[in-house]
Amino acid sequence: MLKSARKKEKDPEGRMPLAEHLRELRNRLAKALLAIVAVTIVAAFFYKDIIEFFTNPILTAVGCDSTFSELAQQSSGNCARIVLNGLLTPFTLALKVSLMAGVIFASPVWLYQLWGFVAPGLHKHERKYAYAFVGTGVPLFLGGAFFAYKTLPTMAKVLLEFSPADLDNQLPLDDLLDLIVRMVLVFGLSFELPLLLVMLNLTGALTGRRMMNWWRGMIMGITVFAAVATPSTDPLTMLALAGPIWILYFLATGFSLLNDRRRRRRDALAPADDEASELDLTPEAIGEVEAVAPSRALPEQVTAERVNGYDDVT
């Protein structure tokens, strides 16, 4: 009973021995991997639907209205054809797509396990910043992924227009999916730039005025990054990536300027670095004096004549 009670007792500040940390990390990693494996097995039954979800908009944009299964049975056509090279490619592709879906759809579980391992060691204000970072970062990443999904068909159409006439385009499916994943990651992570700037401002490492002074260089840098990150040469795809990042950058700059103003007002009310803070020296009533039990080492005749263990013996 005593042993089990000791195990249930936890340090209020989240401190524990190194062995307990390693044991908790092992358990949380096991739960996260179990969730990923379970979702991967379920996604394996729908991996063709997942492939069609990403490839159908591209095929429609380049003039192919057939589904993925119908297109695979066609011998020729006047549009781009998705092909598979190699005997083991269909199997490895199914594993890759299923595992990717498992990691994505099981993200709430493994993110919760990661947070459960890190959170006990954080202070209250650090947890507040972490909640804000996760709560803002996830929608921003999803927004970038959505823009990538919407601009991929236009990008594919522009790129295939460079093909010579009377020639079929064969697109290896594994390469196409790798391109889609890279585009989603590039768009999603690029949307996290304003959040990074805001976090630097909250920690005091970057001011809003400095961000405002950087706006010309940032616009040029974001434009160059968008031009390099998007494989197509059309300005529409480049602007689809650069435009939202411009807007988010100026929103982050506005938030930083307001936060700097709030910080200056707070510092103005606080004492200077070389000024002592005011102390309230007003005496307060201590209330009724609590009676203290006499010591057993004293004789009964002496202790009976003492009050609270402090009065003189009469």
Side-chain angles (χ1 to χ4, degrees):
M1 294 293 292
L2 293 177
K3 187 176 181 180
S4 61
R6 291 174 182 175
K7 287 184 177 180
K8 293 182 179 179
E9 292 180 357
K10 292 185 178 180
D11 193 293
E13 298 183 0
R15 295 173 298 187
M16 61 178 65
L18 178 60
E20 293 292 333
H21 273 295
L22 296 177
R23 187 177 297 110
E24 183 181 4
L25 178 62
R26 181 196 61 188
N27 295 337
R28 293 191 178 278
L29 285 177
K31 294 177 182 178
L33 291 176
L34 182 61
I36 293 175
V37 170
V39 178
T40 300
I41 294 174
V42 176
F45 294 96
F46 304 97
Y47 84 96
K48 292 184 179 180
D49 298 328
I50 298 174
I51 293 175
E52 290 184 357
F53 174 77
F54 288 104
T55 57
N56 281 347
I58 298 177
L59 294 177
T60 303
V62 297
C64 300
D65 296 330
S66 303
T67 62
F68 173 71
S69 58
E70 294 173 351
L71 190 65
Q73 299 175 359
Q74 297 178 5
S75 58
S76 62
N78 56 357
C79 62
R81 297 177 63 246
I82 297 180
V83 297
L84 293 174
N85 297 322
L87 181 63
L88 296 177
T89 303
F91 178 73
T92 56
L93 183 64
L95 289 179
K96 182 189 297 185
V97 173
S98 302
L99 181 60
M100 180 179 63
V103 173
I104 294 175
F105 291 110
S107 57
V109 178
W110 57 263
L111 285 176
Y112 173 78
Q113 296 300 327
L114 177 63
W115 176 253
F117 179 75
V118 175
L122 299 178
H123 297 288
K124 186 176 180 180
H125 67 281
E126 293 174 339
R127 294 184 187 181
K128 180 180 66 176
Y129 287 154
Y131 282 131
F133 184 85
V134 175
T136 309
V138 172
L140 287 176
F141 183 86
L142 294 178
F146 176 78
F147 271 91
Y149 181 75
K150 288 298 182 181
T151 56
L152 275 171
T154 305
M155 179 194 69
K157 183 178 180 179
V158 172
L159 289 176
L160 291 180
E161 286 179 354
F162 289 93
S163 302
D166 301 329
L167 290 179
D168 289 339
N169 290 282
Q170 294 185 352
L171 307 178
L173 183 56
D174 50 351
D175 294 342
L176 181 59
L177 290 178
D178 289 341
L179 175 62
I180 293 173
V181 172
R182 286 199 302 269
M183 290 293 295
V184 169
L185 290 177
V186 168
F187 273 63
L189 293 178
S190 61
F191 273 49
E192 302 291 338
L193 173 63
L195 180 61
L196 177 61
L197 296 176
V198 169
M199 296 303 294
L200 291 176
N201 177 260
L202 291 176
T203 57
L206 185 63
T207 61
R209 183 177 297 274
R210 181 174 297 180
M211 293 170 58
M212 180 59 70
N213 294 334
W214 289 350
W215 73 271
R216 295 181 181 87
M218 290 298 297
I219 288 181
M220 180 60 66
I222 292 172
T223 305
V224 173
F225 169 77
V228 174
T230 53
S232 63
T233 57
D234 64 304
L236 181 61
T237 305
M238 182 190 68
L239 291 177
L241 175 60
I245 303 179
W246 292 340
I247 297 174
L248 292 174
Y249 173 75
F250 284 109
L251 290 177
T253 302
F255 175 85
S256 300
L257 290 174
L258 294 177
N259 184 60
D260 292 341
R261 182 181 301 177
R262 181 187 60 84
R263 185 184 292 120
R264 287 194 298 268
R265 291 177 180 176
R266 182 188 60 190
D267 295 341
L269 298 176
D273 296 337
D274 56 349
E275 180 183 355
S277 59
E278 297 182 359
L279 299 178
D280 187 6
L281 302 179
T282 305
E284 297 182 358
I286 61 175
E288 185 179 356
V289 179
E290 181 181 0
V292 179
S295 174
R296 296 182 178 179
L298 298 176
E300 294 183 359
Q301 184 178 359
V302 175
T303 57
E305 297 175 353
R306 296 174 65 87
V307 179
N308 295 333
Y310 294 103
D311 296 339
D312 296 334
V313 179
T314 55

